[in-house]
Amino acid sequence: MENCLFCKIMKGEIPSSKVYENEYVYAFRDINPQAPVHILVIPKKHLSSLNDADKADDRELSECLRAIPVIAASENLSNGYRVVSNCGPDACQSVPHLHFHILGGTQMGERMA
Ligand code: DGP
């Protein structure tokens, strides 16, 4: 998608700190980290959020999920991590390209909202 920030990042048109990439998935460090490790995992295909899940092939979605533990292991998050995908205004989604936050490297609180 032409004017999508994360599409531009994935294509290398905007610089990012890449941590993982395969045919379906791109992952990079969040510009405004909220934990010692804060990584965003995105599908290369433009999907606005999980609400577009029915527009994706299963492979595009499953590759995002499969990438998460691989990245967590490479970041030494053996004691655990949190995965968040904000979807829509009530969740404060600010970039309309599906992404999964991986947060870790610290003990997080029990509350999620
Ligand atoms: P969300 O609020 O769930 O839509 O998360 C969007 C995240 O994207 C937010 O944590 C900050 C991050 N972000 C926004 N712009 C950029 C950017 O240009 N580069 C990187 N690496 N991260 C960005």
Side-chain angles (χ1 to χ4, degrees), residues 52-95:
D52 276 353
D54 61 351
K55 296 183 183 137
D57 293 339
D58 287 349
R59 186 82 191 264
E60 285 152 354
L61 294 173
S62 67
E63 287 286 336
C64 283
L65 297 181
R66 289 180 194 281
I68 289 169
V70 173
I71 294 165
S74 71
E75 295 288 322
N76 301 310
L77 299 179
S78 56
N79 209 42
Y81 56 93
R82 181 167 286 164
V83 178
V84 173
S85 188
N86 293 321
C87 187
D90 274 7
C92 299
Q93 181 181 5
S94 60
V95 180

Side-chain angles (χ1 to χ4, degrees), residues 21-81:
E21 182 174 17
N22 70 19
E23 186 183 345
Y24 298 94
V25 175
Y26 188 82
F28 55 104
R29 295 192 193 282
D30 195 290
I31 204 168
N32 182 25
Q34 296 188 38
V37 175
H38 188 169
I39 290 165
L40 302 172
V41 181
I42 65 171
K44 288 188 170 177
K45 175 179 172 139
H46 180 85
L47 302 165
S48 297
S49 73
L50 278 174
N51 284 338
D52 276 353
D54 61 351
K55 296 183 183 137
D57 293 339
D58 287 349
R59 186 82 191 264
E60 285 152 354
L61 294 173
S62 67
E63 287 286 336
C64 283
L65 297 181
R66 289 180 194 281
I68 289 169
V70 173
I71 294 165
S74 71
E75 295 288 322
N76 301 310
L77 299 179
S78 56
N79 209 42
Y81 56 93

